[in-house]
Amino acid sequence: MGSALSLTAVAALSLSAPATSQTLTVAQNNGKAAVPSLPSLASMEQAFLSQDYTVEQLRRFRDENGSVVTVRERLEVDANGTARPDFAITFLGVEGEPPGSSLTLEWQQAYSRHGTLFFRHGSFHVRDMIKAASNYTLHDFGQVVRAGRVARRMVVFPKAVFPHTADKPIWVIEVDGLTSVPLFIAEFDSQFQMFANIEAVSFSASVQMTAPTMPIGAVTPMANFVAAEVFLGSPTGLINPNMSLVQDYDLDTVEVHHDPINGSQRLIMSYTDGIDQFMVVQAINSLDPFAGLPSATVGAHTIGRFRDPAVSALVFWEDGVSFHIAGRGAMQRLDSVARSVYLQALSN
Amino acid sequence: MSEARGESSESGGLRPVVSAACRRALVGVRLDGLGREDQVEWDHIEQCAFCAARVRAASGIAAFASQRPEAPQELAMPALLDSIYERATEDAEQGVLGQWVALAGGDLADGDLADGQLAGRAGIGSWQDAVVASPAEAIAAAELSKTPPPPLPEVWSGVRRSILAGVVSDRAKLRTPRHWRVMFAGAAAIMVIGLVSVGGLFGGLFGSVPNKHTLAQPVIGFADFDRAPDVEFAIARYGRRR
């Protein structure tokens, strides 16, 4: 709890600290000083599609026990006009930990295995500008300086209406005035409890990336569920989740992940309201994790559920497929989503 | 020999398939024997297979057609005849003729006839009474009873085409719904048989044991974990795993 409070304090300080002592950088464009414009959801989406940059930043994780770990990383992004830019994320160290410590080595390994997840699912992105504009409002809180850059502090506030007024995130971001790349990201819930924080310490609007970070397994983007089903050989038990009842969220990405270590294959479908995400993962040819439970012997249908303020995760198994549905902790409607998907799997 | 039939087949549309030459030839053929009023026509019959067949058929039924069939005894009963008359009268009243008469009566009552003569139709016992009730009605009766002038040939031709078109369209209407009706009935029968078969199959295989193919809603419960499973979203949140 104390760690959580300290994390909140860090965020509050970073939001309020003046940056007059920093050296401001104004990009030059054909000899003329570019004038920073007010960022918008559209400009942030465009930056994600087309802006190259290199940033060194501090990413703060909070584990299930509430402990906070600050990891320094370097992120290089080589935009390619798509929502899947080439990028390299490099682990630089754990703040306050000597190089070579066990904690440092653990985090280095975590970055090697899950670095792509940190960039793609652990950061602020405008994934769908139209949906983002319909589900969030953008509020300007003035000019700040972050990582030596002139930036605008913005609050992305949900438009959610009852009964979903409390299950949407609130974002405080500081957006580079010239490139619209976020230099500071803090994610809060409706109780203003912070769950994610990324703070840039240096920024360059260019990239010299030698080798993009690749996921440890093969990741194959798919156009839709049907393409993924065919790609996987139409295994039994795989379903196309009916998410028409999930208000505000639509299908965003479909990917097939192949783990080279155990040969497992998973279909990962991400749904977004424009900014926030939740995922439906189907691991084919998997064993029933509840097979040994007494309830399994009487034919009961059980969904395993984990929920804390940061994560909601629901797990069940049917017909050789292990289903994982996960999203933000406050998103309690994922319970009904999981129940609906389970019923769909049972009737498949 | 098939020349005449060839001519008739070329005449499409609503015209009869019998050619004019065949019609001329067959006019002289009587059911009570083969009349030889016109030798030219007989020559045509000998050369035309279609007409020859008609003549042979006519000779076959000539014996039956020459005798008047005896009416059944029931038809001679007064009660049956009365019921036939009543049925014909009702049909006429409910048909186009009855509507026309009703409209004509209304016009007369409202316009030409004096009040009380038709007495709002209440004092009239029959149509004949109404007709003879006044000179105006006598004029109307005379108009109704006189022989109408023959229609113009082009008008009659138009009426004939209209009647034939109606007959053809009625046939088409009858044919199409019957076709769809048969298909629909067949599809419904197949569906019912399929449902019965599937129901019987599952009923026979599984009896009354609930399974995922039954319509009963499964009961789904939740079991809470004390730690997050290894899912991508949790990894993105928490970073490393313990």
Side-chain angles (χ1 to χ4, degrees), chain A residues 61-62 64-65 106-107 114 118 187 195 266 268 301-306 308 310-311 314 324 326-328 339 346, chain B residues 212-213 217-242:
Chain A
F61 293 95
R62 194 181 72 166
E64 297 152 89
N65 300 321
E106 283 182 21
W107 277 101
H114 308 303
F118 299 156
E187 181 187 356
F195 299 112
R266 289 178 302 161
I268 300 181
H301 305 295
T302 305
I303 297 176
R305 175 176 57 193
F306 174 83
D308 73 355
V311 172
L314 300 115
H324 297 174
R328 304 178 66 258
R339 189 191 299 271
L346 287 170
Chain B
K212 71 181 197 176
H213 297 287
Q217 188 85 326
V219 177
I220 297 175
F222 289 88
D224 289 323
F225 295 156
D226 58 356
R227 62 161 297 191
D230 280 329
V231 296
E232 279 73 7
F233 193 91
I235 294 170
R237 287 281 181 178
Y238 300 134
R240 73 190 173 98
R241 304 298 305 172
R242 287 176 294 184

Side-chain angles (χ1 to χ4, degrees), chain A residues 4 10 13 21 91 104 109 124 128 163 170-171 183 323 347:
Chain A
V10 167
L13 284 173
S21 61
F91 171 80
T104 299
Q109 186 180 13
F124 177 89
D128 184 324
I170 301 167
W171 301 83
L183 301 175
F323 292 83
S347 62

Side-chain angles (χ1 to χ4, degrees), chain A residues 116-162:
Chain A
T116 53
L117 287 177
F118 299 156
F119 171 70
R120 298 197 57 212
H121 302 291
S123 301
F124 177 89
H125 297 308
V126 178
R127 305 177 197 278
D128 184 324
M129 199 273 290
I130 295 175
K131 289 195 69 65
S134 65
N135 290 315
Y136 294 89
T137 52
L138 195 59
H139 306 272
D140 180 30
F141 278 76
Q143 180 173 299
V144 295
V145 174
R146 176 69 62 183
R149 306 277 294 185
V150 176
R152 301 296 298 193
R153 180 171 295 158
M154 315 290 290
V155 172
V156 183
F157 201 82
K159 290 183 184 175
V161 295
F162 183 82

